[in-house]
Amino acid sequence: MTLPDSVVVGIDVGGTNTLIGFVDAEANILCRKSLSTKEYFNPQDFVIEVVRIIHYFFDENKNFKLKGIGIGAPNGNIHHGTIDFAPNLEWKGIIPLVELFAQYFETEIILTNDANAAALGEKIYGGAKAMDDFIFITLGTGVGSGIVSNGKLVYGYQGFAGELGHVIVVKDGRKCACGRKGCLEAYCSAGGLVKTYKELLSETVIAESDKEFSAQMVYEKAKTGDIYAQKAFLQTADLLGFALANFVAFSNPQAIFLFGGLAKAADLMLEPIKEAMENNLLQIYKGKVQLLCSSLPETDAAILGAAALIGN
Amino acid sequence: MTLPDSVVVGIDVGGTNTLIGFVDAEANILCRKSLSTKEYFNPQDFVIEVVRIIHYFFDENKNFKLKGIGIGAPNGNIHHGTIDFAPNLEWKGIIPLVELFAQYFETEIILTNDANAAALGEKIYGGAKAMDDFIFITLGTGVGSGIVSNGKLVYGYQGFAGELGHVIVVKDGRKCACGRKGCLEAYCSAGGLVKTYKELLSETVIAESDKEFSAQMVYEKAKTGDIYAQKAFLQTADLLGFALANFVAFSNPQAIFLFGGLAKAADLMLEPIKEAMENNLLQIYKGKVQLLCSSLPETDAAILGAAALIGN
């Protein structure tokens, strides 16, 4: 009889969906599950469902044993194991997620910012393996980031470093989910792109601008020649490139990685973002910062990054 | 006969003046010298004059021996020992300052960004002794910064992290010495404050607005009730506070230290900066970031920080 192999559960709590992966010692994802975060109005019910999924896996796979649970979540606080005031989740205030999970498992449970976890995934398994200084930007329901400097994740004093989606890029600009105005997220998230598209439509094609669109639909329209959709992508890229140039002045990274839903539109966005970034960079940085798409599949980076919090 | 005590030379190259300090093993500054950086149109002549000052000190003080030279300079590149494209110096392009000094001394010579050196001074000798995450902002001829994260200076891939004076805060804004537009430095340096004051004057007191003013003069006018001078300080503080709130979203510091000429106007600036910063902070950071004046005398922080590069 052999000893059971240890498995880490990596959980990526997203504004829309939550991904759960069971990761072995060789970083293979043995099994992936997902659930709709938005369907759970309170975090207790959410935790009960995730616990059910975890128990089911280990009941079905007696040759594996749980080594730990790593969680990436918006506004995840590594110091306290809590989600604090996450603007893109239904759960308001401070959510003691680690404590809620700890009622069910006697194992190590670590929670951090979802983008930090994904950045860790890029560093350990992806394109940033050889890099000590890089910025990882997630472009999805929200805009998040993980910053690696001197080879280490920048957590900051409270554990909330890298909220680059909430850098204000347009003074008194568009309202953001965080309650303030003009945040990068209000423009360069999936919803921000759609809003820009609808604003552009409303200037001329008023009837169309009342319709509901997804970022995916705007992408497809842009690919089939819709000039408003194309312009929406260019405006989004322009503002993101401008913001990235400012971020470079902060930590002088070797590369910036783009990740998540909008990063999939790299064919429309990457070159214009790069152009806008270069145009706005201080002389000493020009031509020195690589702009790259994450080399990890979207689901895996977040799961592997979350799992990497435990170390397998 | 006792062995000579080792002394480190700490040099702070500023846009206006250069400070030279002779620092003993207990961090006492035994002797301070200064010279006008602007008077030296080429760096060779500047180095010759600094070398003369250093030789004179050791000739006069035979009981001391030179242990090393630490230099803080605008756009100082720790990796290459060069000053690269410093917008506030007369010397253009890449200046191999360490190489120039090395012709005269067989000792360790290290050069970094002037603000990085001063931040190191604050960490080792000042108010940041117990802090692992802070931002140090210099408000003088230029606006510079040193960022400490996870207890270490953030140098970045090229060694040019922390150019926060060249974060663009007003799109298509005021022209900056770096050649771009809207940089923080164009508004919140000594010259930026004067420009704001003159702009405010030009709206009503047109005759006055053609006169030459220094930041010190604007300060004195504000203290004696000149409403334009007061408004200039408030506008400067407002923009700086806004910028600081964005910086917090990057590295989530425990404190931000203000240092240099304009920081001396703390009685006019500190509260309005804090108010603007708090108003613009993301919810999770509100009330959590200390805004402090550097606890080191201006000359000493830069000299001690530069000397600390060598380690005594």
Side-chain angles (χ1 to χ4, degrees):
Chain A
M1 188 189 141
T2 55
L3 286 171
D5 287 327
S6 70
V7 162
V8 170
V9 179
I11 304 175
D12 174 52
V13 181
T16 307
N17 291 312
T18 290
L19 308 170
I20 304 165
F22 297 85
V23 183
D24 74 7
E26 282 78 41
N28 300 307
I29 302 178
L30 307 170
C31 171
R32 292 172 179 82
K33 296 285 176 190
S34 74
L35 65 165
S36 164
T37 317
K38 285 190 168 172
E39 277 180 23
Y40 298 88
F41 294 111
N42 74 66
Q44 287 82 359
D45 294 342
F46 169 81
V47 168
I48 287 168
E49 180 57 19
V50 175
V51 168
R52 198 192 59 73
I53 291 170
I54 295 173
H55 279 154
Y56 184 82
F57 175 86
F58 287 100
D59 287 346
E60 292 289 300
N61 298 278
K62 299 288 187 196
N63 53 326
F64 296 125
K65 70 172 203 295
L66 177 63
K67 194 189 170 195
I69 301 172
I71 309 169
N75 288 31
N77 181 331
I78 194 154
H79 299 325
H80 302 137
T82 52
I83 298 177
D84 300 2
F85 307 101
N88 298 313
L89 295 179
E90 300 293 329
W91 317 327
K92 299 305 172 200
I94 296 175
I95 312 298
L97 206 65
V98 166
E99 197 183 301
L100 290 172
F101 275 108
Q103 296 172 353
Y104 300 94
F105 301 103
E106 282 185 8
T107 187
E108 190 179 17
I109 306 172
I110 300 179
L111 176 150
T112 189
N113 184 295
D114 50 352
N116 280 349
L120 207 56
E122 196 72 41
K123 169 104 187 103
I124 296 177
Y125 308 108
K129 268 180 201 161
M131 294 185 188
D132 282 335
D133 297 277
F134 68 92
I135 298 178
F136 185 90
I137 308 266
T138 66
L139 303 165
T141 310
V143 174
S145 65
I147 300 155
V148 171
S149 172
N150 293 319
K152 291 196 168 167
L153 262 172
V154 174
Y155 280 117
Y157 180 60
Q158 297 167 263
F160 291 138
E163 283 290 347
L164 299 185
H166 298 286
V167 162
I168 296 172
V169 288
V170 180
K171 231 180 167 182
D172 296 318
R174 200 181 268 176
K175 190 135 170 73
C176 179
C178 75
R180 301 177 312 150
K181 282 179 178 176
C183 293
L184 183 64
E185 179 168 299
Y187 297 89
C188 297
S189 60
L193 171 79
V194 171
K195 203 161 216 170
T196 301
Y197 177 59
K198 291 177 80 165
E199 279 176 10
L200 287 166
L201 277 184
S202 72
E203 288 168 14
T204 45
V205 202
I206 298 165
E208 284 283 303
S209 70
D210 284 340
K211 290 187 185 168
E212 285 306 308
F213 298 102
S214 67
Q216 180 65 29
M217 287 162 74
V218 180
Y219 175 75
E220 280 155 15
K221 280 175 180 290
K223 293 295 281 182
T224 53
D226 180 329
I227 55 163
Y228 301 102
Q230 288 170 349
K231 205 170 172 192
F233 270 100
L234 283 180
Q235 282 191 9
T236 304
D238 199 52
L239 196 59
L240 183 57
F242 166 76
L244 295 183
N246 275 350
F247 301 162
V248 169
F250 205 99
S251 68
N252 186 21
Q254 179 174 4
I256 298 174
F257 290 88
L258 302 181
F259 173 84
L262 272 198
K264 286 186 210 155
D267 52 342
L268 293 176
M269 298 255 285
L270 205 61
E271 280 309 311
I273 295 170
K274 196 178 271 183
E275 198 182 319
M277 182 178 86
E278 286 291 336
N279 284 342
N280 284 288
L281 278 176
L282 187 63
Q283 174 72 28
I284 47 173
Y285 305 125
K286 278 187 196 290
K288 305 286 186 186
V289 185
Q290 298 171 59
L291 186 67
L292 303 168
C293 288
S294 168
S295 67
L296 293 176
E298 187 174 0
T299 52
D300 290 4
I303 288 173
L304 290 171
L309 290 166
I310 301 296
N312 210 329
Chain B
M1 186 189 143
T2 55
L3 287 171
D5 288 326
S6 70
V7 162
V8 170
V9 178
I11 303 175
D12 174 52
V13 181
T16 309
N17 292 312
T18 290
L19 307 171
I20 304 166
F22 296 84
V23 184
D24 74 8
E26 283 78 41
N28 300 308
I29 301 178
L30 306 170
C31 170
R32 291 173 179 82
K33 296 284 175 191
S34 75
L35 65 166
S36 165
T37 318
K38 284 189 169 172
E39 278 180 22
Y40 298 88
F41 294 111
N42 74 67
Q44 285 84 357
D45 294 342
F46 170 81
V47 168
I48 287 168
E49 179 57 19
V50 174
V51 168
R52 200 193 57 73
I53 291 170
I54 295 173
H55 279 154
Y56 183 82
F57 175 85
F58 287 101
D59 287 345
E60 292 290 300
N61 298 278
K62 299 286 189 199
N63 52 327
F64 295 124
K65 70 172 204 293
L66 176 63
K67 194 188 169 195
I69 301 173
I71 309 168
N75 288 30
N77 182 332
I78 193 154
H79 299 326
H80 302 137
T82 52
I83 298 178
D84 299 3
F85 308 102
N88 298 314
L89 295 180
E90 300 293 327
W91 317 326
K92 299 306 171 200
I94 296 174
I95 312 299
L97 205 65
V98 166
E99 198 183 301
L100 290 173
F101 274 109
Q103 296 172 353
Y104 301 93
F105 302 103
E106 282 185 8
T107 186
E108 190 180 18
I109 306 172
I110 300 179
L111 175 148
T112 190
N113 184 295
D114 49 353
N116 280 349
L120 207 57
E122 196 72 41
K123 169 104 185 103
I124 296 177
Y125 308 107
K129 269 181 201 161
M131 293 185 188
D132 282 336
D133 297 276
F134 68 92
I135 297 176
F136 185 91
I137 308 267
T138 66
L139 304 165
T141 310
V143 173
S145 65
I147 300 155
V148 171
S149 172
N150 293 319
K152 291 197 167 163
L153 262 173
V154 174
Y155 280 117
Y157 179 60
Q158 297 168 263
F160 291 138
E163 283 290 347
L164 299 185
H166 298 286
V167 162
I168 295 172
V169 288
V170 179
K171 232 180 166 182
D172 296 317
R174 198 181 271 178
K175 191 135 169 73
C176 180
C178 74
R180 301 176 312 150
K181 282 180 178 175
C183 293
L184 183 63
E185 178 168 299
Y187 296 89
C188 298
S189 59
L193 170 80
V194 171
K195 203 161 214 168
T196 301
Y197 176 58
K198 291 177 80 165
E199 278 176 12
L200 288 166
L201 277 185
S202 72
E203 289 169 15
T204 44
V205 201
I206 298 166
E208 284 283 304
S209 71
D210 284 339
K211 291 188 184 166
E212 286 306 308
F213 299 101
S214 67
Q216 180 66 29
M217 285 161 75
V218 180
Y219 175 76
E220 280 155 16
K221 280 174 179 290
K223 293 295 282 183
T224 52
D226 179 329
I227 55 162
Y228 300 102
Q230 288 170 349
K231 205 171 172 190
F233 270 101
L234 283 180
Q235 283 190 9
T236 304
D238 198 52
L239 196 59
L240 183 57
F242 166 76
L244 295 184
N246 275 350
F247 301 162
V248 169
F250 206 100
S251 68
N252 186 194
Q254 180 175 3
I256 297 173
F257 290 87
L258 303 180
F259 173 83
L262 272 197
K264 287 186 211 154
D267 52 341
L268 293 176
M269 298 255 285
L270 204 61
E271 280 310 312
I273 295 171
K274 196 178 270 182
E275 198 182 321
M277 181 177 86
E278 286 292 336
N279 284 343
N280 284 289
L281 279 176
L282 188 62
Q283 174 72 27
I284 46 173
Y285 306 125
K286 278 186 197 290
K288 305 285 186 188
V289 185
Q290 297 170 60
L291 186 68
L292 303 168
C293 288
S294 168
S295 67
L296 293 176
E298 187 174 0
T299 51
D300 291 4
I303 288 173
L304 290 172
L309 290 166
I310 301 295
N312 209 331

